[in-house]
Amino acid sequence: MGNPLGISKEIKIMRLGLSFHETLPLRRANIAQILALSQTQVLTPATITAATSLGTNEVKATPRFMQATGLLDNNTLTPFGNAVLAHDPNLDSPTTLWLLHYHLVAPHHTAPAYWRHLVLNSLRLG
């Protein structure tokens, strides 16, 4: 049947599940809270709950969104996450937003494979 999603068989990635986001949308304000927290705390559900205004499902979903967008890896900021924290902690820059979306569909990343398939095969420029 081939490889309809165009993912190399050599790439072994632990992809996030289809419902990793708990049916919540990506909220930049939630991500900004966790970015700020990462400067002083180890990121765990307990520390996120204690130090932010996120609800129970947001505490589960937001770090997963951050992983899918390339900001976190194993609850630690990635080099990209550190750059965003240093230069655009509120995620206001169009460049930052573009890079977040890039990571959502990058074949080498952890986002669900169907997102890449959808973007490459269903969305058209113009």
Side-chain angles (χ1 to χ4, degrees), residues 20-56:
F20 76 90
H21 47 73
E22 301 283 323
T23 71
L24 297 171
L26 185 151
R27 291 193 173 104
R28 292 182 300 168
N30 292 357
I31 291 173
Q33 287 185 65
I34 294 178
L35 281 173
L37 179 63
S38 72
Q39 293 179 338
T40 60
Q41 300 281 324
V42 174
L43 297 177
T44 66
T47 59
I48 294 169
T49 299
T52 67
S53 64
L54 275 61
T56 304

mmCIF file of all heavy atoms in Angstrom, residues 20-56:
data_model
loop_
_atom_site.group_PDB
_atom_site.id
_atom_site.type_symbol
_atom_site.label_atom_id
_atom_site.label_comp_id
_atom_site.label_asym_id
_atom_site.label_seq_id
_atom_site.Cartn_x
_atom_site.Cartn_y
_atom_site.Cartn_z
ATOM 1 N N PHE A 20 -4.387 14.296 21.936
ATOM 2 C CA PHE A 20 -3.436 14.821 22.916
ATOM 3 C C PHE A 20 -3.856 16.181 23.457
ATOM 4 O O PHE A 20 -3.490 16.561 24.545
ATOM 5 C CB PHE A 20 -2.027 14.938 22.313
ATOM 6 C CG PHE A 20 -1.844 16.115 21.390
ATOM 7 C CD1 PHE A 20 -1.417 17.335 21.889
ATOM 8 C CD2 PHE A 20 -2.108 15.993 20.039
ATOM 9 C CE1 PHE A 20 -1.253 18.414 21.039
ATOM 10 C CE2 PHE A 20 -1.941 17.067 19.194
ATOM 11 C CZ PHE A 20 -1.509 18.286 19.690
ATOM 12 N N HIS A 21 -4.644 16.921 22.710
ATOM 13 C CA HIS A 21 -4.990 18.289 23.082
ATOM 14 C C HIS A 21 -6.252 18.382 23.930
ATOM 15 O O HIS A 21 -6.711 19.486 24.240
ATOM 16 C CB HIS A 21 -5.144 19.153 21.834
ATOM 17 C CG HIS A 21 -5.977 18.518 20.775
ATOM 18 N ND1 HIS A 21 -7.342 18.387 20.870
ATOM 19 C CD2 HIS A 21 -5.625 17.948 19.592
ATOM 20 C CE1 HIS A 21 -7.803 17.788 19.784
ATOM 21 N NE2 HIS A 21 -6.779 17.508 19.006
ATOM 22 N N GLU A 22 -6.818 17.237 24.323
ATOM 23 C CA GLU A 22 -7.993 17.220 25.204
ATOM 24 C C GLU A 22 -9.151 18.033 24.613
ATOM 25 O O GLU A 22 -9.937 18.617 25.334
ATOM 26 C CB GLU A 22 -7.641 17.769 26.594
ATOM 27 C CG GLU A 22 -6.552 17.017 27.314
ATOM 28 C CD GLU A 22 -7.007 15.712 27.914
ATOM 29 O OE1 GLU A 22 -8.139 15.630 28.400
ATOM 30 O OE2 GLU A 22 -6.209 14.760 27.895
ATOM 31 N N THR A 23 -9.216 18.122 23.303
ATOM 32 C CA THR A 23 -10.213 18.884 22.527
ATOM 33 C C THR A 23 -10.132 20.394 22.769
ATOM 34 O O THR A 23 -11.040 21.125 22.409
ATOM 35 C CB THR A 23 -11.663 18.398 22.749
ATOM 36 O OG1 THR A 23 -12.097 18.754 24.068
ATOM 37 C CG2 THR A 23 -11.797 16.899 22.540
ATOM 38 N N LEU A 24 -9.044 20.865 23.365
ATOM 39 C CA LEU A 24 -8.858 22.296 23.610
ATOM 40 C C LEU A 24 -8.044 22.915 22.474
ATOM 41 O O LEU A 24 -7.158 22.268 21.922
ATOM 42 C CB LEU A 24 -8.131 22.511 24.932
ATOM 43 C CG LEU A 24 -8.857 22.022 26.182
ATOM 44 C CD1 LEU A 24 -7.934 22.092 27.390
ATOM 45 C CD2 LEU A 24 -10.102 22.848 26.422
ATOM 46 N N PRO A 25 -8.292 24.177 22.162
ATOM 47 C CA PRO A 25 -7.470 24.845 21.151
ATOM 48 C C PRO A 25 -6.120 25.251 21.733
ATOM 49 O O PRO A 25 -5.966 25.361 22.952
ATOM 50 C CB PRO A 25 -8.298 26.080 20.784
ATOM 51 C CG PRO A 25 -9.064 26.387 22.027
ATOM 52 C CD PRO A 25 -9.376 25.037 22.646
ATOM 53 N N LEU A 26 -5.166 25.492 20.856
ATOM 54 C CA LEU A 26 -3.884 26.019 21.280
ATOM 55 C C LEU A 26 -4.097 27.466 21.709
ATOM 56 O O LEU A 26 -4.626 28.269 20.947
ATOM 57 C CB LEU A 26 -2.891 25.951 20.112
ATOM 58 C CG LEU A 26 -1.459 26.351 20.415
ATOM 59 C CD1 LEU A 26 -0.532 25.596 19.485
ATOM 60 C CD2 LEU A 26 -1.226 27.826 20.299
ATOM 61 N N ARG A 27 -3.714 27.780 22.928
ATOM 62 C CA ARG A 27 -3.864 29.141 23.453
ATOM 63 C C ARG A 27 -2.485 29.703 23.778
ATOM 64 O O ARG A 27 -1.777 29.172 24.649
ATOM 65 C CB ARG A 27 -4.738 29.141 24.701
ATOM 66 C CG ARG A 27 -6.175 28.819 24.396
ATOM 67 C CD ARG A 27 -7.072 29.131 25.599
ATOM 68 N NE ARG A 27 -8.457 28.964 25.234
ATOM 69 C CZ ARG A 27 -9.201 27.926 25.596
ATOM 70 N NH1 ARG A 27 -8.684 26.969 26.333
ATOM 71 N NH2 ARG A 27 -10.469 27.858 25.222
ATOM 72 N N ARG A 28 -2.150 30.779 23.098
ATOM 73 C CA ARG A 28 -0.833 31.382 23.312
ATOM 74 C C ARG A 28 -0.652 31.840 24.754
ATOM 75 O O ARG A 28 0.444 31.726 25.309
ATOM 76 C CB ARG A 28 -0.633 32.557 22.356
ATOM 77 C CG ARG A 28 -0.516 32.107 20.912
ATOM 78 C CD ARG A 28 -0.263 33.255 19.979
ATOM 79 N NE ARG A 28 -1.358 34.207 20.050
ATOM 80 C CZ ARG A 28 -1.317 35.427 19.517
ATOM 81 N NH1 ARG A 28 -0.242 35.838 18.900
ATOM 82 N NH2 ARG A 28 -2.353 36.226 19.599
ATOM 83 N N ALA A 29 -1.695 32.350 25.375
ATOM 84 C CA ALA A 29 -1.584 32.814 26.766
ATOM 85 C C ALA A 29 -1.215 31.659 27.704
ATOM 86 O O ALA A 29 -0.437 31.842 28.647
ATOM 87 C CB ALA A 29 -2.881 33.472 27.217
ATOM 88 N N ASN A 30 -1.762 30.484 27.460
ATOM 89 C CA ASN A 30 -1.424 29.316 28.284
ATOM 90 C C ASN A 30 0.038 28.927 28.095
ATOM 91 O O ASN A 30 0.746 28.621 29.054
ATOM 92 C CB ASN A 30 -2.324 28.139 27.944
ATOM 93 C CG ASN A 30 -3.761 28.367 28.345
ATOM 94 O OD1 ASN A 30 -4.107 29.380 28.927
ATOM 95 N ND2 ASN A 30 -4.616 27.419 28.013
ATOM 96 N N ILE A 31 0.476 28.931 26.843
ATOM 97 C CA ILE A 31 1.871 28.598 26.554
ATOM 98 C C ILE A 31 2.793 29.621 27.207
ATOM 99 O O ILE A 31 3.820 29.262 27.794
ATOM 100 C CB ILE A 31 2.102 28.497 25.038
ATOM 101 C CG1 ILE A 31 1.382 27.266 24.491
ATOM 102 C CG2 ILE A 31 3.599 28.438 24.716
ATOM 103 C CD1 ILE A 31 1.400 27.143 22.982
ATOM 104 N N ALA A 32 2.427 30.893 27.139
ATOM 105 C CA ALA A 32 3.249 31.950 27.740
ATOM 106 C C ALA A 32 3.388 31.741 29.247
ATOM 107 O O ALA A 32 4.474 31.979 29.816
ATOM 108 C CB ALA A 32 2.655 33.316 27.439
ATOM 109 N N GLN A 33 2.323 31.307 29.905
ATOM 110 C CA GLN A 33 2.404 31.052 31.352
ATOM 111 C C GLN A 33 3.407 29.945 31.654
ATOM 112 O O GLN A 33 4.206 30.050 32.595
ATOM 113 C CB GLN A 33 1.036 30.648 31.905
ATOM 114 C CG GLN A 33 0.038 31.785 32.001
ATOM 115 C CD GLN A 33 -1.241 31.322 32.658
ATOM 116 O OE1 GLN A 33 -1.245 30.966 33.834
ATOM 117 N NE2 GLN A 33 -2.330 31.332 31.899
ATOM 118 N N ILE A 34 3.367 28.894 30.862
ATOM 119 C CA ILE A 34 4.288 27.775 31.108
ATOM 120 C C ILE A 34 5.714 28.160 30.729
ATOM 121 O O ILE A 34 6.668 27.764 31.403
ATOM 122 C CB ILE A 34 3.805 26.507 30.396
ATOM 123 C CG1 ILE A 34 2.486 26.047 31.032
ATOM 124 C CG2 ILE A 34 4.860 25.402 30.476
ATOM 125 C CD1 ILE A 34 1.870 24.829 30.400
ATOM 126 N N LEU A 35 5.885 28.951 29.660
ATOM 127 C CA LEU A 35 7.227 29.432 29.320
ATOM 128 C C LEU A 35 7.817 30.220 30.491
ATOM 129 O O LEU A 35 8.969 30.015 30.869
ATOM 130 C CB LEU A 35 7.183 30.313 28.071
ATOM 131 C CG LEU A 35 7.098 29.618 26.726
ATOM 132 C CD1 LEU A 35 6.901 30.643 25.611
ATOM 133 C CD2 LEU A 35 8.330 28.774 26.463
ATOM 134 N N ALA A 36 7.028 31.139 31.050
ATOM 135 C CA ALA A 36 7.508 31.934 32.183
ATOM 136 C C ALA A 36 7.841 31.042 33.379
ATOM 137 O O ALA A 36 8.867 31.235 34.051
ATOM 138 C CB ALA A 36 6.466 32.977 32.569
ATOM 139 N N LEU A 37 6.999 30.067 33.633
ATOM 140 C CA LEU A 37 7.221 29.149 34.750
ATOM 141 C C LEU A 37 8.500 28.344 34.567
ATOM 142 O O LEU A 37 9.200 28.041 35.544
ATOM 143 C CB LEU A 37 6.014 28.218 34.893
ATOM 144 C CG LEU A 37 6.069 27.172 35.993
ATOM 145 C CD1 LEU A 37 6.140 27.844 37.362
ATOM 146 C CD2 LEU A 37 4.867 26.261 35.897
ATOM 147 N N SER A 38 8.823 28.006 33.327
ATOM 148 C CA SER A 38 9.993 27.161 33.064
ATOM 149 C C SER A 38 11.300 27.823 33.483
ATOM 150 O O SER A 38 12.304 27.143 33.657
ATOM 151 C CB SER A 38 10.059 26.779 31.585
ATOM 152 O OG SER A 38 10.421 27.905 30.798
ATOM 153 N N GLN A 39 11.281 29.134 33.674
ATOM 154 C CA GLN A 39 12.497 29.838 34.116
ATOM 155 C C GLN A 39 12.848 29.509 35.564
ATOM 156 O O GLN A 39 14.017 29.571 35.941
ATOM 157 C CB GLN A 39 12.314 31.349 33.991
ATOM 158 C CG GLN A 39 12.193 31.829 32.585
ATOM 159 C CD GLN A 39 12.002 33.344 32.540
ATOM 160 O OE1 GLN A 39 11.579 33.969 33.496
ATOM 161 N NE2 GLN A 39 12.330 33.915 31.397
ATOM 162 N N THR A 40 11.830 29.180 36.364
ATOM 163 C CA THR A 40 12.074 29.012 37.806
ATOM 164 C C THR A 40 11.668 27.649 38.354
ATOM 165 O O THR A 40 12.029 27.332 39.481
ATOM 166 C CB THR A 40 11.298 30.075 38.602
ATOM 167 O OG1 THR A 40 9.899 29.929 38.330
ATOM 168 C CG2 THR A 40 11.754 31.484 38.225
ATOM 169 N N GLN A 41 10.914 26.877 37.604
ATOM 170 C CA GLN A 41 10.375 25.614 38.121
ATOM 171 C C GLN A 41 10.640 24.466 37.151
ATOM 172 O O GLN A 41 10.714 24.673 35.942
ATOM 173 C CB GLN A 41 8.854 25.713 38.289
ATOM 174 C CG GLN A 41 8.372 26.771 39.237
ATOM 175 C CD GLN A 41 8.504 26.346 40.683
ATOM 176 O OE1 GLN A 41 8.314 25.192 41.013
ATOM 177 N NE2 GLN A 41 8.842 27.288 41.547
ATOM 178 N N VAL A 42 10.727 23.274 37.696
ATOM 179 C CA VAL A 42 10.697 22.073 36.883
ATOM 180 C C VAL A 42 9.241 21.886 36.461
ATOM 181 O O VAL A 42 8.330 21.997 37.291
ATOM 182 C CB VAL A 42 11.197 20.851 37.684
ATOM 183 C CG1 VAL A 42 11.031 19.576 36.880
ATOM 184 C CG2 VAL A 42 12.638 21.059 38.106
ATOM 185 N N LEU A 43 9.015 21.639 35.202
ATOM 186 C CA LEU A 43 7.644 21.547 34.697
ATOM 187 C C LEU A 43 7.043 20.171 34.978
ATOM 188 O O LEU A 43 7.429 19.179 34.382
ATOM 189 C CB LEU A 43 7.613 21.838 33.195
ATOM 190 C CG LEU A 43 8.049 23.232 32.780
ATOM 191 C CD1 LEU A 43 8.049 23.367 31.265
ATOM 192 C CD2 LEU A 43 7.171 24.291 33.419
ATOM 193 N N THR A 44 6.123 20.163 35.922
ATOM 194 C CA THR A 44 5.345 18.967 36.227
ATOM 195 C C THR A 44 3.883 19.413 36.304
ATOM 196 O O THR A 44 3.614 20.605 36.479
ATOM 197 C CB THR A 44 5.746 18.353 37.580
ATOM 198 O OG1 THR A 44 5.391 19.265 38.624
ATOM 199 C CG2 THR A 44 7.233 18.021 37.637
ATOM 200 N N PRO A 45 2.946 18.481 36.198
ATOM 201 C CA PRO A 45 1.548 18.889 36.353
ATOM 202 C C PRO A 45 1.298 19.630 37.666
ATOM 203 O O PRO A 45 0.554 20.613 37.704
ATOM 204 C CB PRO A 45 0.787 17.568 36.283
ATOM 205 C CG PRO A 45 1.643 16.703 35.414
ATOM 206 C CD PRO A 45 3.058 17.076 35.793
ATOM 207 N N ALA A 46 1.937 19.202 38.738
ATOM 208 C CA ALA A 46 1.731 19.849 40.037
ATOM 209 C C ALA A 46 2.258 21.280 40.049
ATOM 210 O O ALA A 46 1.587 22.195 40.550
ATOM 211 C CB ALA A 46 2.398 19.038 41.145
ATOM 212 N N THR A 47 3.461 21.504 39.501
ATOM 213 C CA THR A 47 4.002 22.867 39.502
ATOM 214 C C THR A 47 3.223 23.766 38.555
ATOM 215 O O THR A 47 3.024 24.948 38.860
ATOM 216 C CB THR A 47 5.501 22.904 39.133
ATOM 217 O OG1 THR A 47 5.689 22.343 37.834
ATOM 218 C CG2 THR A 47 6.333 22.157 40.157
ATOM 219 N N ILE A 48 2.773 23.228 37.443
ATOM 220 C CA ILE A 48 1.975 24.029 36.503
ATOM 221 C C ILE A 48 0.652 24.416 37.144
ATOM 222 O O ILE A 48 0.218 25.560 37.057
ATOM 223 C CB ILE A 48 1.775 23.270 35.178
ATOM 224 C CG1 ILE A 48 3.118 23.098 34.451
ATOM 225 C CG2 ILE A 48 0.771 23.993 34.284
ATOM 226 C CD1 ILE A 48 3.070 22.146 33.268
ATOM 227 N N THR A 49 0.010 23.471 37.821
ATOM 228 C CA THR A 49 -1.266 23.753 38.492
ATOM 229 C C THR A 49 -1.092 24.807 39.574
ATOM 230 O O THR A 49 -1.893 25.734 39.677
ATOM 231 C CB THR A 49 -1.846 22.461 39.098
ATOM 232 O OG1 THR A 49 -2.089 21.532 38.046
ATOM 233 C CG2 THR A 49 -3.143 22.728 39.838
ATOM 234 N N ALA A 50 -0.041 24.686 40.366
ATOM 235 C CA ALA A 50 0.171 25.598 41.491
ATOM 236 C C ALA A 50 0.538 27.012 41.053
ATOM 237 O O ALA A 50 0.177 27.983 41.710
ATOM 238 C CB ALA A 50 1.258 25.046 42.405
ATOM 239 N N ALA A 51 1.249 27.142 39.922
ATOM 240 C CA ALA A 51 1.812 28.441 39.566
ATOM 241 C C ALA A 51 1.114 29.146 38.400
ATOM 242 O O ALA A 51 1.515 30.240 38.034
ATOM 243 C CB ALA A 51 3.288 28.267 39.231
ATOM 244 N N THR A 52 0.084 28.530 37.812
ATOM 245 C CA THR A 52 -0.606 29.154 36.681
ATOM 246 C C THR A 52 -2.108 29.167 36.931
ATOM 247 O O THR A 52 -2.590 28.594 37.902
ATOM 248 C CB THR A 52 -0.336 28.390 35.364
ATOM 249 O OG1 THR A 52 -0.948 27.100 35.429
ATOM 250 C CG2 THR A 52 1.156 28.239 35.093
ATOM 251 N N SER A 53 -2.819 29.778 36.021
ATOM 252 C CA SER A 53 -4.283 29.802 36.116
ATOM 253 C C SER A 53 -4.920 28.747 35.217
ATOM 254 O O SER A 53 -6.122 28.793 34.977
ATOM 255 C CB SER A 53 -4.799 31.196 35.730
ATOM 256 O OG SER A 53 -4.488 31.475 34.382
ATOM 257 N N LEU A 54 -4.143 27.793 34.744
ATOM 258 C CA LEU A 54 -4.659 26.764 33.845
ATOM 259 C C LEU A 54 -5.554 25.783 34.591
ATOM 260 O O LEU A 54 -5.274 25.411 35.732
ATOM 261 C CB LEU A 54 -3.511 25.995 33.191
ATOM 262 C CG LEU A 54 -2.903 26.617 31.932
ATOM 263 C CD1 LEU A 54 -2.315 27.974 32.198
ATOM 264 C CD2 LEU A 54 -1.868 25.694 31.350
ATOM 265 N N GLY A 55 -6.611 25.354 33.900
ATOM 266 C CA GLY A 55 -7.505 24.341 34.446
ATOM 267 C C GLY A 55 -6.917 22.952 34.294
ATOM 268 O O GLY A 55 -5.867 22.764 33.676
ATOM 269 N N THR A 56 -7.608 21.967 34.820
ATOM 270 C CA THR A 56 -7.110 20.588 34.842
ATOM 271 C C THR A 56 -6.765 20.068 33.456
ATOM 272 O O THR A 56 -5.678 19.526 33.247
ATOM 273 C CB THR A 56 -8.162 19.665 35.498
ATOM 274 O OG1 THR A 56 -8.451 20.175 36.801
ATOM 275 C CG2 THR A 56 -7.655 18.246 35.603
#
